[in-house]
Amino acid sequence: MKRRRKLSHKEGVVEVSDDIVINILHRLPSKSLARFKCVSKCWRKYITDSSLSYSCRSQRWRPQPYLIGFFYQARDTCERSKIQFFFSSEESSLDIDGNFDQSVSFLGRSAYIVASSNGFLLCNRQRVYYVYNPATRQSMALPKTQIGMNDPTIGFICKVDDPNRDVISFTIVRYWILQSNVTIESFSSETNAWIVDNLILNVPLRLYFFVYMKSPSAGVVDGVFFWLDQGPQITVYDSVHKSFWALGFPEDMVATGNYFLGFSGGDFYFALYVKTNITVWQLKSNIRSRDALWVRKYVTDVATTVPFGLTGFLHTEVQNMDIHPASPHIFYLDVKGKVISYDMETDIAELVHDFGEYGWRTKHFKLFSYEWHQWPRGIL
C-alpha cells in the first residue's frame, strides 16, 4: 500500500505508511485490538473489516507462515547433544527479540525435540512431553503417557480455535504398528488426557524407520495426520473417523535415494533425491482418499547450482531435507555439514548455515523448522 499518513510531532511531521501501522496491529493481542478500534476510522477499518485484503483480523488469524530458522539436535545411539538453533536468513534474525530461547535449556541435556508446529515445539524428557513456546519461554508439561511405546511415530499440530482468545490448542498423536494391529495414543489440550485406541487393519503394515533422516508428521489437515517412513511408505491417520491406512506410490516415485514428505502452503509434497536430481510431486487427491493422486511439480539437477564446493558425491551427502512452510518451491538441504536453501523455480542456491563439523557427524542432526506466525502466544 502506497498511502502514507502524517502524524503531528513537536519536532516536525512523521510519515508512517499504512503497511507499518498494519504490521504493528498484527502483533497485538485481541484485547488491545478491541480498544484500539477507537483510535481512528482507519484503524477501525483495519481491525474489523474482514473484506479488506489487508484487514488486521483476517491477516492475524489466517497468516502465512514466516520461516525464522531451524532447531537442531543430534539423535544417535551414542550421543544426544544439546538443542541448538540457526536463522534461515539475516533478515529473519531481526524479527526475534532477546527473549527468544535458542537452546531450550530448561529441560536439561536429557530432553530432545520431537516435532514443531506453528511456532511451538514438542519436546520429550523421560516419557513426559512438553509443549514449549521459545518466543515467550512458556511451557506446559503433559501427563505421562499410558503406554510406553518404543520410539513411536508422533504427530503434533497447534492451531487457533477461537480468534477472541489469545491461546492455542494442540493435538498429539503417537502410534505403533504390529502387523494388523495399530495402537494409537492421542492427547488433546482440551481434555488434558491421553486416550488409547486399538485399530485392526484389513491389510497388515510394517514400519520402516529412518536411521538418520527426520521422520516427523509432515503435516495435519482437518484432523488427518501424514507420516513418511523409509519404506518408502506414507501412513495416514484420520483422527476424526478413527481410521488408518497407507498411501501407495506410482512406480516413478519409488527409487533408491532419499525421500521427504512435507507440508507447504496448504498442500503435501513428496520429494525424491537420486544422485544429484530432485523430483517433487504434489498430492492432488482429497486428503481422506485412499487412492492418492500425485502430480509431478518440479524436476531439477542441483549439481549445476549448489555452490561452496559441495558437488561431487552429492547424493551420498544429503542427510536432511525440509520445505519452506509457505513456499513449496524452496527446499533446505543438509549437505556435508552445511544447510543450503534451494529455489527450484529460479534455480538459485544459497548457504544458510555451516555446522562447522564433519558430515559424518551432522548426518545424525534432525532439523525442525521454526515459523513466526503472529498467532497468540498462550497455551491452552
Side-chain angles (χ1 to χ4, degrees), residues 346-364:
T346 62
D347 197 33
I348 295 177
E350 296 180 353
L351 176 64
V352 174
H353 181 72
D354 189 341
F355 290 115
E357 299 190 47
Y358 294 109
W360 64 269
R361 286 185 58 87
T362 62
K363 71 181 181 180
H364 297 292

Side-chain angles (χ1 to χ4, degrees), residues 9-33:
H9 196 278
K10 291 182 179 180
E11 298 180 357
V13 176
V14 178
E15 290 189 350
V16 180
S17 69
D18 288 354
D19 286 339
I20 293 177
V21 174
I22 293 171
N23 191 25
I24 293 173
L25 293 175
H26 285 172
R27 300 173 184 269
L28 299 177
S30 297
K31 292 182 180 179
S32 297
L33 291 176

Side-chain angles (χ1 to χ4, degrees), residues 75-213:
R75 288 286 313 281
D76 59 16
T77 57
C78 301
E79 176 186 6
R80 179 174 295 157
S81 68
K82 65 179 181 180
I83 298 171
Q84 301 181 72
F85 179 86
F86 64 86
F87 292 99
S88 58
S89 67
E90 293 183 3
E91 292 79 8
S92 62
S93 64
L94 301 177
D95 294 322
I96 298 295
D97 58 31
N99 190 54
F100 182 70
D101 185 4
Q102 300 186 28
S103 63
V104 197
S105 58
F106 80 100
L107 289 176
R109 289 289 293 268
S110 62
Y112 59 92
I113 299 178
V114 177
S116 61
S117 175
N118 296 310
F120 290 81
L121 301 177
L122 178 65
C123 304
N124 185 291
R125 182 175 180 269
Q126 299 176 353
R127 269 190 66 192
V128 176
Y129 289 97
Y130 296 81
V131 176
Y132 184 60
N133 184 345
T136 63
R137 300 179 182 247
Q138 180 190 10
S139 65
M140 177 179 178
L142 308 186
K144 276 195 173 183
T145 58
Q146 297 185 28
I147 300 177
M149 300 182 191
N150 183 22
D151 198 15
T153 303
I154 299 176
F156 173 55
I157 181 66
C158 289
K159 57 189 180 71
V160 174
D161 294 314
D162 186 354
N164 295 315
R165 300 180 61 193
D166 282 339
V167 295
I168 59 97
S169 64
F170 60 89
T171 302
I172 302 169
V173 172
R174 54 202 302 266
Y175 80 88
W176 181 261
I177 295 178
L178 182 60
Q179 296 182 346
S180 298
N181 300 307
V182 181
T183 300
I184 295 176
E185 190 174 20
S186 59
F187 181 91
S188 171
S189 58
E190 297 178 355
T191 61
N192 196 38
W194 290 97
I195 299 175
V196 178
D197 290 299
N198 294 296
L199 305 179
I200 305 298
L201 303 178
N202 295 326
V203 179
L205 293 177
R206 181 181 176 183
L207 286 178
Y208 301 88
F209 292 109
F210 277 96
V211 179
Y212 299 131
M213 294 186 69

Side-chain angles (χ1 to χ4, degrees), residues 32-50:
S32 297
L33 291 176
R35 294 198 308 268
F36 292 162
K37 292 178 184 179
C38 303
V39 171
S40 68
K41 292 181 179 180
C42 180
W43 282 31
R44 182 177 181 85
K45 177 179 65 175
Y46 292 148
I47 296 172
T48 62
D49 186 1
S50 61

